[in-house]
Amino acid sequence: MSDLPFKPTRARQRRDLQRPADAGWRQELHDIIFEADSPAGRWFDIGLLIAILASIFLVAVETVPEYEDWRNLFIRCEQILAGLFAVEYVMRLMTVRKPMKYALSFWGIIDLLSFLPSFITPFIGGSSASFVTLRAIRLLRVFRVLKLWRMMDDADELASAVWRSRNKIIVFLAVVLVAVTISGTLMYHIEHVSDMDAGGQFTSIPQAMYWAIVTMTTVGYGDIVPKTTLGKFISAALILLGYSLIIVPSTFVSAEIIQKTQTPDAHPCPHCNVSGHRADATYCYRCGDRLVR
Amino acid sequence: MSDLPFKPTRARQRRDLQRPADAGWRQELHDIIFEADSPAGRWFDIGLLIAILASIFLVAVETVPEYEDWRNLFIRCEQILAGLFAVEYVMRLMTVRKPMKYALSFWGIIDLLSFLPSFITPFIGGSSASFVTLRAIRLLRVFRVLKLWRMMDDADELASAVWRSRNKIIVFLAVVLVAVTISGTLMYHIEHVSDMDAGGQFTSIPQAMYWAIVTMTTVGYGDIVPKTTLGKFISAALILLGYSLIIVPSTFVSAEIIQKTQTPDAHPCPHCNVSGHRADATYCYRCGDRLVR
Amino acid sequence: MSDLPFKPTRARQRRDLQRPADAGWRQELHDIIFEADSPAGRWFDIGLLIAILASIFLVAVETVPEYEDWRNLFIRCEQILAGLFAVEYVMRLMTVRKPMKYALSFWGIIDLLSFLPSFITPFIGGSSASFVTLRAIRLLRVFRVLKLWRMMDDADELASAVWRSRNKIIVFLAVVLVAVTISGTLMYHIEHVSDMDAGGQFTSIPQAMYWAIVTMTTVGYGDIVPKTTLGKFISAALILLGYSLIIVPSTFVSAEIIQKTQTPDAHPCPHCNVSGHRADATYCYRCGDRLVR
Amino acid sequence: MSDLPFKPTRARQRRDLQRPADAGWRQELHDIIFEADSPAGRWFDIGLLIAILASIFLVAVETVPEYEDWRNLFIRCEQILAGLFAVEYVMRLMTVRKPMKYALSFWGIIDLLSFLPSFITPFIGGSSASFVTLRAIRLLRVFRVLKLWRMMDDADELASAVWRSRNKIIVFLAVVLVAVTISGTLMYHIEHVSDMDAGGQFTSIPQAMYWAIVTMTTVGYGDIVPKTTLGKFISAALILLGYSLIIVPSTFVSAEIIQKTQTPDAHPCPHCNVSGHRADATYCYRCGDRLVR
């Protein structure tokens, strides 16, 4: 395993706890299904990715009115894929040390719900609409497969940049909430009073708040637009305000990322083991000991 | 108080001037209502936050036509909350050193106006519509409560970044004003002349200026769109121009933030006089001498 | 003049060439009209700014159908302001050293055209529509007045950041032109062929290119939208592509600004006079001489 | 050639392999057609650029219904330009060392396809619509001509910044794909069930996914909008989520560019071994010793 191009991460070590203790087919199958290090494991993950994409494609195409004639074919194919997912689910249960723990974990529940509706629906006769939605969550597995192409680092970097600026994002959402509430209420009163019987679109405060979000994020559907002159004037002011409100927090994430990518030399001090020195530092900033490069 | 996880800020010291001088129930109540340091103060703030959100939710839902049957219930609940706000207002008046100063302060007036309309409206019979809007401003109190989760620093950082780039924002708004006026006037003449009786949407210059703002900020409702070929051509050019106009100032805020987060400690080393140390450095990175702060 | 809070800039020195040589009322009036250093000059500029804004407001309001009754009043006021601008124009001509040079300069022509149409129109009876547009350009004078509040530096910084990245902006516009042409032509063929008699909105390639610009800049009016499934699919791909195309150049401007604001120590070398050393440099990077701080 | 203002790039050296070995008219013509270093070569490129722009303009204008009367004129002009492109193509074939290699290269095929359809269509009588599209790709040649104005560096910088962040862009697209699928499926079930006969616009899952992309990128056409209250609520949440999803990767490109423009020369001083010198430094900033490159 030392010839692998990447070090075992903490997430990896956590997963190893579920690896069967006894060497044998169960351990081998576990490595193929749960890991992507061996060639077999890689092909399994790529196959799974294709199956998930095909399954989602079929569920999506089933709903298109133009292809209604082929609907039975789509459903048949979809049930075959659901069968494969069921086999995969059973295999996963069989090759982990504690099947119950896996079955009750987040991915275990997603895996179960991703094939169950396709089997139950035909017997009940009802619509499995509300459950197939969960199938899409399986796509998140895509990230596990991405490891194959060494993109995991970039994904981690992206995720950690978002995580580090979480406080700022919450502050931002609070400001947006306040701005949306105030501007939505304001626009409702302006537009509703003067436009009541002229087909005004600001029918209620929640409707006006929906408009405020659509406007401030510059989406601007145009299904709800101010009709009165005053409404248009305030709307224009809100757009400029909302623009500023959204620019500022977005730069925070930017600053976090830039700060991280610019973090200087990682060589740790040989004495106190602290890192993060300037690239041209000769002495440790914490203990004053001479640095070795 | 020395065991608190944060240092008293200047805003805090300013507030202390209003703290009653005599130790007793008034001082205790003051700390609960105005501060969030003690457990009781925290719970009070969380409760207040929930009450404000519930109150805003009720005011918003009242206006939805679908829920008209339950409207009386909503109004009743809303009046109960208004009563609580009234009690809170009286308590605030009672526990500050100078009640008059509080009553005439910004938050004092907001607090008064946030419950008054709910009491007056039933007797007058009119609509309190224009006043309840002010209720939403109370949401800004959210920020005080955010202190609980140590998010105040991020909020301060955000606010100070905006504040430092205020001049640039004003310059930006001036440029936008000029661009909107010129392009609005231009488009009015192009579209109005050639499109007068074909249902043209550029009915007046202010209308065209509203279009210019909606377009340049990339909101693009689509309620007003150019119909003529020339209008579309100029519109496309304006979009690209407007895009540039708005990108540039947004990067200024970005630059301000990045500059601030990257500026290292300016205190020079007392021995070799070099600066640019990490903010948490104890020893000079060049000569290894102890730094004095 | 040495007690002024800012140093005379090069632009200032250039203007001084037009200052009348003989001390007297002409020189005093020149300083009031062309400079903003003296209190009188400041008030003149602020008055001019208000007059320009009022004039633009009147021209805009004249076109609103709702206020048609007051139209004559607006036109009367507007003509009075045009008279003031005429007086200002004559005063400017009188107080410069070379009136002809001013009259033929950019601002001289703008000044002339900003009051001329209002005088000529009543006699001709035609519409001065195409000329009043130029009035708006006068708003650019706003920047001269901004000098009052020390915002000129920020305006200069903004302008120079845009100027330094002009090459990148041109490259960007060339890429956008190519992308718009290709995607517009592509969408025209997809949507036009399959949608010819079903009210398709992609009536011609220029129309499709207009759609491509509106889409790629995320304005998205919605007046032209793809109707076919293939068109929607390609449209979605184009949106993501266009998004990337526009993000990249915008970050260039950002990088230029950040780079500039982070430029290190400006102290020049005492020997070769070069600046731009690192903040912690001891020796000049060009001549190797010891730096003095 | 040593007096040229720029060093021969690798791309240049690659092209030289195609330069005819024997000095003579073929070599001279090759330099004019394929290079832009000599005055003649520059004029050829500028002429070509104008011809491509004119050709694209004609193809675009041909499709405008208003100018149908002049259509024959446009087609005639277009065919003349196609003839010039044919001549250019033959000249290119004649002046390269290996004509077959050029003919089968990307640009060779584009060059062939850019004039062929205009000649074939009149005889077949059918529509050359699907082929003329390729003409637009010729516009990419614009970049070769840009070399004239030294903009090639900026174009390279732009391209390499995009290239270096390709992994992040792929991760981003994967996240967008997941988010679009989940939110599209979700919105389909919410809007379709409750809105089936009320003219609901979420007719199928692919349609809903198209909506999700249009919404998350803040384009917001408005041709498909949620009608139900729940749909609007989820839509507002998705907009805010999508906004965050798109902001983060855009900042990555920004960070890559900023990092590159700020990275100073890594060559260490031969005397004191310190690095981080300016890219144009001759002497070490710390010890004043001469740097070796």
Side-chain angles (χ1 to χ4, degrees), chain C residues 22-43:
Chain C
D22 50 315
W25 66 270
R26 274 185 68 208
Q27 214 182 58
E28 271 171 47
L29 210 55
H30 177 274
D31 287 355
I32 290 170
I33 297 173
F34 285 89
E35 305 299 330
D37 304 341
S38 62
R42 273 178 220 194
W43 287 113

Side-chain angles (χ1 to χ4, degrees), chain D residues 110-122:
Chain D
I110 293 291
D111 283 352
L112 183 66
L113 287 172
S114 72
F115 66 86
L116 219 60
S118 304
F119 288 147
I120 297 171
T121 325

Side-chain angles (χ1 to χ4, degrees), chain A residues 53 92 101 124 139 159 164 190 194 200 224 266 277 288 291:
Chain A
L53 285 173
R92 280 186 192 270
K101 202 179 162 188
I124 306 181
L139 256 190
R164 262 176 297 126
I190 290 168
S194 58
I224 308 167
H277 303 285
L291 296 172

